[in-house]
């Protein structure tokens, strides 16, 4: 056959198989998408169950007498879930004693390192506490976690709270305790910001 005839035959063949190929490709993409969604839902359900388990462990009666290292490990493990762990850890901090509260602060600091874009704004909101949802010790713990993680997003809230402490922390002892934590967090975040700027200046000639 001549070249035009060969091309005509090839064109006809492509037209005949193209719909089937396209449908196969679309079906493959659809199946993969469904499988991915199912895996994601299974992961989310599993993660939610684990988060609940860790929260119950921290708030349970056994944690009240457990070794500090054990409850610290639970707090850090919970923080490993990043943004999903921020509010549960704040709840633990709000409802627990000083020992378990310290574990929650460790967990929040770890969560902020794992997912800073999600956790640092949450910590900033808890520090600002415009809805009066938290007691002053929870705001203090959130400030400590933000400082450890170098949360620049929390800096305005820290500075505002330093200028205007919450009503339940205006006792001289409480306010002094809170101010120490706020000053330390502000110093840590400021130092972290300076290190970041120094890194960019060293690597980019701006």
């Amino acid at each position: 056959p001549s070249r035009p005839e060969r091309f005509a035959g090839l064109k006809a063949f492509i037209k005949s198989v193209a719909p089937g190929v396209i449908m196969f490709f679309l079906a493959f993409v659809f199946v993969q998408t469904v499988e991915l969604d199912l895996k994601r839902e299974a992961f989310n359900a599993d993660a939610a169950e684990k988060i609940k388990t860790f929260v119950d462990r921290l708030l349970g009666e056994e944690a009240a007498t457990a070794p500090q290292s054990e409850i610290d490990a639970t707090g850090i493990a919970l923080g490993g879930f990043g943004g999903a762990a921020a509010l549960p850890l704040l709840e633990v901090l709000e409802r627990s004693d000083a020992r378990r509260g310290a574990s929650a602060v460790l967990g929040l600091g770890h969560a902020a390192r794992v997912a800073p874009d999600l956790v640092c704004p949450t910590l900033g909101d808890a520090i600002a506490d415009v809805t009066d949802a938290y007691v002053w010790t929870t705001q203090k713990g959130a400030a400590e976690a933000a400082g450890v993680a170098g949360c620049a997003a929390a800096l305005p809230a820290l500075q505002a709270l330093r200028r205007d402490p919450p009503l339940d922390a205006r006792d001289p002892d409480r306010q002094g305790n809170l101010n120490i934590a706020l000053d330390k967090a502000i110093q840590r975040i400021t130092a972290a910001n300076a290190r970041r700027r120094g890194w960019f200046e060293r690597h980019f000639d701006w």
Side-chain angles (χ1 to χ4, degrees), residues 149-165:
C151 287
L155 189 57
L158 288 164
Q159 293 168 331
L161 190 61
R162 183 65 173 84
R163 292 189 300 269
D164 185 20

Side-chain angles (χ1 to χ4, degrees), residues 43-123:
F43 171 78
N44 289 340
D46 184 55
E49 184 62 31
K50 287 181 178 177
I51 288 172
K52 182 179 182 302
T53 298
F54 286 135
V55 170
D56 290 344
R57 191 177 300 170
L58 284 171
L59 292 175
E61 293 182 3
E62 293 182 3
T65 56
Q68 188 67 42
S69 59
E70 182 177 315
I71 58 175
D72 286 350
T74 302
I76 292 170
L78 179 52
F81 289 92
L87 290 177
L89 281 164
L90 285 169
E91 182 65 16
V92 171
L93 187 55
E94 177 76 5
R95 294 172 54 191
S96 60
D97 54 26
R99 292 176 67 248
R100 288 178 282 186
S103 301
V105 171
L106 287 176
L108 284 167
H110 183 50
R113 292 191 185 98
V114 171
D117 292 344
L118 295 174
V119 179
C120 287
T122 301
L123 291 176

Side-chain angles (χ1 to χ4, degrees), residues 159-181:
Q159 293 168 331
L161 190 61
R162 183 65 173 84
R163 292 189 300 269
D164 185 20
L167 293 175
D168 59 343
R170 293 189 178 178
D171 169 271
D173 290 337
R174 289 181 176 183
Q175 187 169 339
N177 194 357
L178 177 62
N179 286 346
I180 289 171

